[in-house]
Amino acid sequence: MTVFNLYIFDRNGNCLYYAEWNRRKQSGISQDEEFKLMFGLLFSIRSFVSRMSPTDQSEGFVSYKTNEYKLHFYETPSGLKFVVNTDLSVGNIHDVLQQLYSQVFVEYAIKNPAYSLGQPVTSELFKSKLDEFIRGQQFFTSKLS
């Protein structure tokens, strides 16, 4: 099991933070374009799921998978969006993404007096705590099969 990358977006689609661990292939486009494509994909999927669902969903869209990876999604009440791409063997990590928000993002980004809401997160402490959090998950491995 492995984690490929993580995106954190604000409600307006600005990428506040991006990290990679075991990403095997680059997109071939600029990072800014990749962020726009990812946010657009999330916007479209969330809209599609909410309109096409036969039942009223409390959580809405939480993940999808392709033949190569699984995308996990968590949105906070304030509109922050956390996206983690993993391999296919990783199950539901919705609770892990909630913990990532409350125990890492809130504690080491939001509560940092040097951080301005809506700006990219540049804190080295946040980066190290995030890396420690992700590497500490049972589904993280640094080796690819």
Side-chain angles (χ1 to χ4, degrees), residues 44-109:
S44 297
I45 288 178
R46 286 184 57 244
S47 175
F48 178 80
V49 167
S50 69
R51 292 172 194 217
M52 300 306 288
S53 175
T55 60
D56 212 8
Q57 294 186 334
S58 60
E59 290 183 353
F61 166 65
V62 294
S63 69
Y64 77 79
K65 73 178 161 176
T66 71
N67 291 337
E68 298 294 324
Y69 70 94
K70 185 171 182 182
L71 181 143
H72 305 266
F73 176 74
Y74 172 68
E75 184 171 8
T76 69
S78 63
L80 291 173
K81 294 160 185 60
F82 291 76
V83 180
V84 174
N85 288 310
T86 66
D87 70 12
L88 297 174
S89 64
V90 176
N92 185 337
I93 62 168
H94 195 256
D95 291 343
V96 172
L97 295 178
Q98 285 178 315
Q99 291 172 356
L100 171 61
Y101 167 65
S102 64
Q103 296 173 12
V104 180
F105 190 80
V106 169
E107 293 300 318
Y108 300 103

Side-chain angles (χ1 to χ4, degrees), residues 127-140:
K127 290 176 185 178
S128 67
K129 292 295 184 180
L130 172 69
D131 190 63
E132 180 182 312
F133 180 85
I134 294 293
R135 290 179 186 275
Q137 299 305 310
Q138 66 181 6
F139 55 83
F140 182 87

Side-chain angles (χ1 to χ4, degrees), residues 5-16:
N5 55 6
L6 161 83
Y7 303 83
I8 302 174
F9 293 101
D10 69 9
R11 70 175 60 216
N12 300 316
N14 300 309
C15 188
L16 303 179

Side-chain angles (χ1 to χ4, degrees), residues 111-122:
K111 290 184 178 180
N112 181 343
Y115 179 68
S116 299
L117 288 176
Q119 296 300 309
V121 180
T122 58

